[in-house]
PDB file of all heavy atoms in Angstrom:
ATOM      1  N   PRO A 852     129.437 161.302  86.592  1.00  0.00           N
ATOM      2  CA  PRO A 852     129.852 160.299  87.570  1.00  0.00           C
ATOM      3  C   PRO A 852     129.512 158.884  87.148  1.00  0.00           C
ATOM      4  O   PRO A 852     130.116 157.953  87.628  1.00  0.00           O
ATOM      5  CB  PRO A 852     129.091 160.672  88.844  1.00  0.00           C
ATOM      6  CG  PRO A 852     128.070 161.656  88.444  1.00  0.00           C
ATOM      7  CD  PRO A 852     128.448 162.229  87.119  1.00  0.00           C
ATOM      8  N   CYS A 853     128.529 158.720  86.237  1.00  0.00           N
ATOM      9  CA  CYS A 853     128.172 157.354  85.859  1.00  0.00           C
ATOM     10  C   CYS A 853     128.962 156.873  84.652  1.00  0.00           C
ATOM     11  O   CYS A 853     128.865 155.724  84.261  1.00  0.00           O
ATOM     12  CB  CYS A 853     126.684 157.203  85.612  1.00  0.00           C
ATOM     13  SG  CYS A 853     126.173 155.516  85.973  1.00  0.00           S
ATOM     14  N   ILE A 854     129.673 157.756  83.998  1.00  0.00           N
ATOM     15  CA  ILE A 854     130.574 157.330  82.936  1.00  0.00           C
ATOM     16  C   ILE A 854     131.977 157.654  83.428  1.00  0.00           C
ATOM     17  O   ILE A 854     132.422 158.784  83.356  1.00  0.00           O
ATOM     18  CB  ILE A 854     130.272 158.042  81.614  1.00  0.00           C
ATOM     19  CG1 ILE A 854     128.832 157.761  81.214  1.00  0.00           C
ATOM     20  CG2 ILE A 854     131.227 157.562  80.522  1.00  0.00           C
ATOM     21  CD1 ILE A 854     128.414 158.387  79.906  1.00  0.00           C
ATOM     22  N   PRO A 855     132.643 156.655  84.004  1.00  0.00           N
ATOM     23  CA  PRO A 855     133.911 156.934  84.655  1.00  0.00           C
ATOM     24  C   PRO A 855     134.961 157.442  83.673  1.00  0.00           C
ATOM     25  O   PRO A 855     134.826 157.279  82.469  1.00  0.00           O
ATOM     26  CB  PRO A 855     134.319 155.586  85.228  1.00  0.00           C
ATOM     27  CG  PRO A 855     133.531 154.574  84.479  1.00  0.00           C
ATOM     28  CD  PRO A 855     132.298 155.243  83.989  1.00  0.00           C
ATOM     29  N   ALA A 856     135.981 158.024  84.218  1.00  0.00           N
ATOM     30  CA  ALA A 856     137.033 158.610  83.398  1.00  0.00           C
ATOM     31  C   ALA A 856     137.784 157.528  82.622  1.00  0.00           C
ATOM     32  O   ALA A 856     138.372 157.795  81.581  1.00  0.00           O
ATOM     33  CB  ALA A 856     137.993 159.382  84.278  1.00  0.00           C
ATOM     34  N   SER A 857     137.736 156.288  83.128  1.00  0.00           N
ATOM     35  CA  SER A 857     138.434 155.205  82.439  1.00  0.00           C
ATOM     36  C   SER A 857     137.828 155.005  81.048  1.00  0.00           C
ATOM     37  O   SER A 857     136.697 155.387  80.804  1.00  0.00           O
ATOM     38  CB  SER A 857     138.319 153.926  83.258  1.00  0.00           C
ATOM     39  OG  SER A 857     136.971 153.595  83.447  1.00  0.00           O
ATOM     40  N   PRO A 858     138.576 154.386  80.120  1.00  0.00           N
ATOM     41  CA  PRO A 858     138.078 154.279  78.751  1.00  0.00           C
ATOM     42  C   PRO A 858     136.801 153.459  78.653  1.00  0.00           C
ATOM     43  O   PRO A 858     136.530 152.615  79.493  1.00  0.00           O
ATOM     44  CB  PRO A 858     139.217 153.583  78.010  1.00  0.00           C
ATOM     45  CG  PRO A 858     140.121 153.031  79.040  1.00  0.00           C
ATOM     46  CD  PRO A 858     139.881 153.778  80.304  1.00  0.00           C
ATOM     47  N   SER A 859     136.002 153.739  77.628  1.00  0.00           N
ATOM     48  CA  SER A 859     134.805 152.948  77.368  1.00  0.00           C
ATOM     49  C   SER A 859     134.859 152.502  75.915  1.00  0.00           C
ATOM     50  O   SER A 859     135.492 153.149  75.086  1.00  0.00           O
ATOM     51  CB  SER A 859     133.557 153.768  77.659  1.00  0.00           C
ATOM     52  OG  SER A 859     133.546 154.926  76.870  1.00  0.00           O
ATOM     53  N   TYR A 860     134.190 151.399  75.612  1.00  0.00           N
ATOM     54  CA  TYR A 860     134.265 150.815  74.279  1.00  0.00           C
ATOM     55  C   TYR A 860     132.869 150.481  73.772  1.00  0.00           C
ATOM     56  O   TYR A 860     132.043 149.979  74.528  1.00  0.00           O
ATOM     57  CB  TYR A 860     135.079 149.519  74.310  1.00  0.00           C
ATOM     58  CG  TYR A 860     136.515 149.704  74.714  1.00  0.00           C
ATOM     59  CD1 TYR A 860     136.917 149.541  76.039  1.00  0.00           C
ATOM     60  CD2 TYR A 860     137.478 150.060  73.776  1.00  0.00           C
ATOM     61  CE1 TYR A 860     138.241 149.721  76.412  1.00  0.00           C
ATOM     62  CE2 TYR A 860     138.809 150.238  74.138  1.00  0.00           C
ATOM     63  CZ  TYR A 860     139.187 150.065  75.459  1.00  0.00           C
ATOM     64  OH  TYR A 860     140.491 150.251  75.821  1.00  0.00           O
ATOM     65  N   PRO A 861     132.615 150.729  72.493  1.00  0.00           N
ATOM     66  CA  PRO A 861     131.338 150.286  71.935  1.00  0.00           C
ATOM     67  C   PRO A 861     131.345 148.768  71.791  1.00  0.00           C
ATOM     68  O   PRO A 861     132.381 148.168  71.491  1.00  0.00           O
ATOM     69  CB  PRO A 861     131.296 150.956  70.559  1.00  0.00           C
ATOM     70  CG  PRO A 861     132.715 151.196  70.192  1.00  0.00           C
ATOM     71  CD  PRO A 861     133.480 151.369  71.478  1.00  0.00           C
ATOM     72  N   VAL A 862     130.196 148.154  72.023  1.00  0.00           N
ATOM     73  CA  VAL A 862     130.090 146.708  71.832  1.00  0.00           C
ATOM     74  C   VAL A 862     128.734 146.390  71.201  1.00  0.00           C
ATOM     75  O   VAL A 862     127.699 146.917  71.614  1.00  0.00           O
ATOM     76  CB  VAL A 862     130.327 145.940  73.163  1.00  0.00           C
ATOM     77  CG1 VAL A 862     129.414 146.439  74.259  1.00  0.00           C
ATOM     78  CG2 VAL A 862     130.187 144.452  72.985  1.00  0.00           C
ATOM     79  N   SER A 863     128.774 145.584  70.164  1.00  0.00           N
ATOM     80  CA  SER A 863     127.577 145.229  69.426  1.00  0.00           C
ATOM     81  C   SER A 863     126.743 144.244  70.253  1.00  0.00           C
ATOM     82  O   SER A 863     127.290 143.396  70.959  1.00  0.00           O
ATOM     83  CB  SER A 863     127.969 144.597  68.091  1.00  0.00           C
ATOM     84  OG  SER A 863     126.814 144.254  67.376  1.00  0.00           O
ATOM     85  N   ILE A 864     125.416 144.377  70.159  1.00  0.00           N
ATOM     86  CA  ILE A 864     124.516 143.565  70.983  1.00  0.00           C
ATOM     87  C   ILE A 864     123.778 142.543  70.127  1.00  0.00           C
ATOM     88  O   ILE A 864     123.205 142.878  69.087  1.00  0.00           O
ATOM     89  CB  ILE A 864     123.505 144.468  71.718  1.00  0.00           C
ATOM     90  CG1 ILE A 864     124.260 145.394  72.684  1.00  0.00           C
ATOM     91  CG2 ILE A 864     122.471 143.640  72.470  1.00  0.00           C
ATOM     92  CD1 ILE A 864     123.402 146.458  73.315  1.00  0.00           C
ATOM     93  N   GLY A 865     123.823 141.310  70.556  1.00  0.00           N
ATOM     94  CA  GLY A 865     123.039 140.245  69.935  1.00  0.00           C
ATOM     95  C   GLY A 865     121.962 139.805  70.911  1.00  0.00           C
ATOM     96  O   GLY A 865     122.248 139.560  72.084  1.00  0.00           O
ATOM     97  N   ILE A 866     120.719 139.739  70.446  1.00  0.00           N
ATOM     98  CA  ILE A 866     119.596 139.379  71.320  1.00  0.00           C
ATOM     99  C   ILE A 866     119.336 137.882  71.194  1.00  0.00           C
ATOM    100  O   ILE A 866     119.098 137.378  70.097  1.00  0.00           O
ATOM    101  CB  ILE A 866     118.336 140.174  70.937  1.00  0.00           C
ATOM    102  CG1 ILE A 866     118.632 141.682  71.020  1.00  0.00           C
ATOM    103  CG2 ILE A 866     117.157 139.792  71.823  1.00  0.00           C
ATOM    104  CD1 ILE A 866     117.549 142.554  70.417  1.00  0.00           C
ATOM    105  N   SER A 867     119.416 137.188  72.317  1.00  0.00           N
ATOM    106  CA  SER A 867     119.165 135.746  72.316  1.00  0.00           C
ATOM    107  C   SER A 867     117.698 135.482  72.571  1.00  0.00           C
ATOM    108  O   SER A 867     117.209 135.696  73.674  1.00  0.00           O
ATOM    109  CB  SER A 867     119.993 135.059  73.401  1.00  0.00           C
ATOM    110  OG  SER A 867     121.365 135.255  73.183  1.00  0.00           O
ATOM    111  N   ASN A 868     117.013 134.978  71.569  1.00  0.00           N
ATOM    112  CA  ASN A 868     115.667 134.477  71.770  1.00  0.00           C
ATOM    113  C   ASN A 868     115.782 133.105  72.449  1.00  0.00           C
ATOM    114  O   ASN A 868     116.870 132.522  72.495  1.00  0.00           O
ATOM    115  CB  ASN A 868     114.958 134.366  70.412  1.00  0.00           C
ATOM    116  CG  ASN A 868     113.434 134.429  70.554  1.00  0.00           C
ATOM    117  OD1 ASN A 868     112.886 134.207  71.633  1.00  0.00           O
ATOM    118  ND2 ASN A 868     112.755 134.731  69.476  1.00  0.00           N
ATOM    119  N   ARG A 869     114.684 132.614  72.975  1.00  0.00           N
ATOM    120  CA  ARG A 869     114.704 131.282  73.600  1.00  0.00           C
ATOM    121  C   ARG A 869     115.338 130.267  72.648  1.00  0.00           C
ATOM    122  O   ARG A 869     115.091 130.302  71.444  1.00  0.00           O
ATOM    123  CB  ARG A 869     113.275 130.875  73.966  1.00  0.00           C
ATOM    124  CG  ARG A 869     112.353 130.718  72.780  1.00  0.00           C
ATOM    125  CD  ARG A 869     110.901 130.459  73.197  1.00  0.00           C
ATOM    126  NE  ARG A 869     110.184 131.660  73.557  1.00  0.00           N
ATOM    127  CZ  ARG A 869     109.314 132.298  72.753  1.00  0.00           C
ATOM    128  NH1 ARG A 869     109.043 131.855  71.536  1.00  0.00           N
ATOM    129  NH2 ARG A 869     108.700 133.391  73.161  1.00  0.00           N
ATOM    130  N   HIS A 870     116.158 129.361  73.194  1.00  0.00           N
ATOM    131  CA  HIS A 870     116.804 128.349  72.344  1.00  0.00           C
ATOM    132  C   HIS A 870     117.255 127.156  73.184  1.00  0.00           C
ATOM    133  O   HIS A 870     117.263 127.220  74.421  1.00  0.00           O
ATOM    134  CB  HIS A 870     117.979 128.955  71.575  1.00  0.00           C
ATOM    135  CG  HIS A 870     119.084 129.458  72.444  1.00  0.00           C
ATOM    136  ND1 HIS A 870     119.105 130.736  72.946  1.00  0.00           N
ATOM    137  CD2 HIS A 870     120.206 128.853  72.919  1.00  0.00           C
ATOM    138  CE1 HIS A 870     120.188 130.903  73.683  1.00  0.00           C
ATOM    139  NE2 HIS A 870     120.876 129.775  73.686  1.00  0.00           N
ATOM    140  N   VAL A 871     117.649 126.113  72.475  1.00  0.00           N
ATOM    141  CA  VAL A 871     118.001 124.852  73.126  1.00  0.00           C
ATOM    142  C   VAL A 871     119.349 124.367  72.604  1.00  0.00           C
ATOM    143  O   VAL A 871     119.599 124.393  71.401  1.00  0.00           O
ATOM    144  CB  VAL A 871     116.924 123.770  72.823  1.00  0.00           C
ATOM    145  CG1 VAL A 871     117.286 122.450  73.489  1.00  0.00           C
ATOM    146  CG2 VAL A 871     115.551 124.239  73.281  1.00  0.00           C
ATOM    147  N   HIS A 872     120.238 123.963  73.521  1.00  0.00           N
ATOM    148  CA  HIS A 872     121.446 123.209  73.177  1.00  0.00           C
ATOM    149  C   HIS A 872     121.166 121.746  73.540  1.00  0.00           C
ATOM    150  O   HIS A 872     120.644 121.474  74.628  1.00  0.00           O
ATOM    151  CB  HIS A 872     122.653 123.697  73.986  1.00  0.00           C
ATOM    152  CG  HIS A 872     122.959 125.144  73.797  1.00  0.00           C
ATOM    153  ND1 HIS A 872     123.704 125.635  72.743  1.00  0.00           N
ATOM    154  CD2 HIS A 872     122.618 126.240  74.536  1.00  0.00           C
ATOM    155  CE1 HIS A 872     123.815 126.951  72.848  1.00  0.00           C
ATOM    156  NE2 HIS A 872     123.157 127.353  73.924  1.00  0.00           N
ATOM    157  N   LEU A 873     121.525 120.823  72.656  1.00  0.00           N
ATOM    158  CA  LEU A 873     121.221 119.409  72.893  1.00  0.00           C
ATOM    159  C   LEU A 873     122.491 118.566  72.946  1.00  0.00           C
ATOM    160  O   LEU A 873     123.455 118.827  72.217  1.00  0.00           O
ATOM    161  CB  LEU A 873     120.325 118.871  71.766  1.00  0.00           C
ATOM    162  CG  LEU A 873     118.898 119.427  71.687  1.00  0.00           C
ATOM    163  CD1 LEU A 873     118.227 118.946  70.407  1.00  0.00           C
ATOM    164  CD2 LEU A 873     118.076 119.028  72.918  1.00  0.00           C
ATOM    165  N   SER A 874     122.478 117.534  73.779  1.00  0.00           N
ATOM    166  CA  SER A 874     123.492 116.481  73.695  1.00  0.00           C
ATOM    167  C   SER A 874     123.180 115.637  72.457  1.00  0.00           C
ATOM    168  O   SER A 874     122.038 115.621  71.979  1.00  0.00           O
ATOM    169  CB  SER A 874     123.454 115.610  74.950  1.00  0.00           C
ATOM    170  OG  SER A 874     122.237 114.884  74.986  1.00  0.00           O
ATOM    171  N   GLN A 875     124.189 114.924  71.936  1.00  0.00           N
ATOM    172  CA  GLN A 875     123.946 114.111  70.732  1.00  0.00           C
ATOM    173  C   GLN A 875     122.907 113.018  71.022  1.00  0.00           C
ATOM    174  O   GLN A 875     122.059 112.736  70.175  1.00  0.00           O
ATOM    175  CB  GLN A 875     125.266 113.503  70.227  1.00  0.00           C
ATOM    176  CG  GLN A 875     125.127 112.670  68.949  1.00  0.00           C
ATOM    177  CD  GLN A 875     124.486 113.437  67.777  1.00  0.00           C
ATOM    178  OE1 GLN A 875     124.637 114.657  67.651  1.00  0.00           O
ATOM    179  NE2 GLN A 875     123.741 112.726  66.922  1.00  0.00           N
ATOM    180  N   ALA A 876     122.933 112.472  72.263  1.00  0.00           N
ATOM    181  CA  ALA A 876     121.938 111.445  72.615  1.00  0.00           C
ATOM    182  C   ALA A 876     120.522 112.022  72.526  1.00  0.00           C
ATOM    183  O   ALA A 876     119.601 111.378  72.006  1.00  0.00           O
ATOM    184  CB  ALA A 876     122.207 110.917  74.027  1.00  0.00           C
ATOM    185  N   HIS A 877     120.357 113.255  73.005  1.00  0.00           N
ATOM    186  CA  HIS A 877     119.033 113.884  72.957  1.00  0.00           C
ATOM    187  C   HIS A 877     118.645 114.274  71.530  1.00  0.00           C
ATOM    188  O   HIS A 877     117.465 114.211  71.168  1.00  0.00           O
ATOM    189  CB  HIS A 877     118.985 115.084  73.906  1.00  0.00           C
ATOM    190  CG  HIS A 877     118.940 114.686  75.356  1.00  0.00           C
ATOM    191  ND1 HIS A 877     119.063 115.582  76.395  1.00  0.00           N
ATOM    192  CD2 HIS A 877     118.772 113.460  75.943  1.00  0.00           C
ATOM    193  CE1 HIS A 877     118.983 114.931  77.554  1.00  0.00           C
ATOM    194  NE2 HIS A 877     118.816 113.647  77.300  1.00  0.00           N
ATOM    195  N   VAL A 878     119.641 114.687  70.718  1.00  0.00           N
ATOM    196  CA  VAL A 878     119.354 114.941  69.286  1.00  0.00           C
ATOM    197  C   VAL A 878     118.702 113.700  68.682  1.00  0.00           C
ATOM    198  O   VAL A 878     117.693 113.780  67.966  1.00  0.00           O
ATOM    199  CB  VAL A 878     120.650 115.291  68.504  1.00  0.00           C
ATOM    200  CG1 VAL A 878     120.396 115.262  66.988  1.00  0.00           C
ATOM    201  CG2 VAL A 878     121.202 116.654  68.922  1.00  0.00           C
ATOM    202  N   GLU A 879     119.245 112.541  69.022  1.00  0.00           N
ATOM    203  CA  GLU A 879     118.759 111.303  68.399  1.00  0.00           C
ATOM    204  C   GLU A 879     117.396 110.878  68.933  1.00  0.00           C
ATOM    205  O   GLU A 879     116.573 110.339  68.188  1.00  0.00           O
ATOM    206  CB  GLU A 879     119.821 110.205  68.560  1.00  0.00           C
ATOM    207  CG  GLU A 879     121.138 110.643  67.888  1.00  0.00           C
ATOM    208  CD  GLU A 879     122.159 109.537  67.657  1.00  0.00           C
ATOM    209  OE1 GLU A 879     121.774 108.358  67.680  1.00  0.00           O
ATOM    210  OE2 GLU A 879     123.338 109.887  67.434  1.00  0.00           O
TER     211      GLU A 879
END
Side-chain angles (χ1 to χ4, degrees):
Chain A
C853 209
I854 302 181
S857 59
S859 58
Y860 297 94
V862 54
S863 180
I864 297 172
I866 302 169
S867 299
N868 204 341
R869 64 186 81 101
H870 63 272
V871 180
H872 302 277
L873 292 172
S874 67
Q875 182 56 31
H877 287 171
V878 168
E879 300 195 19

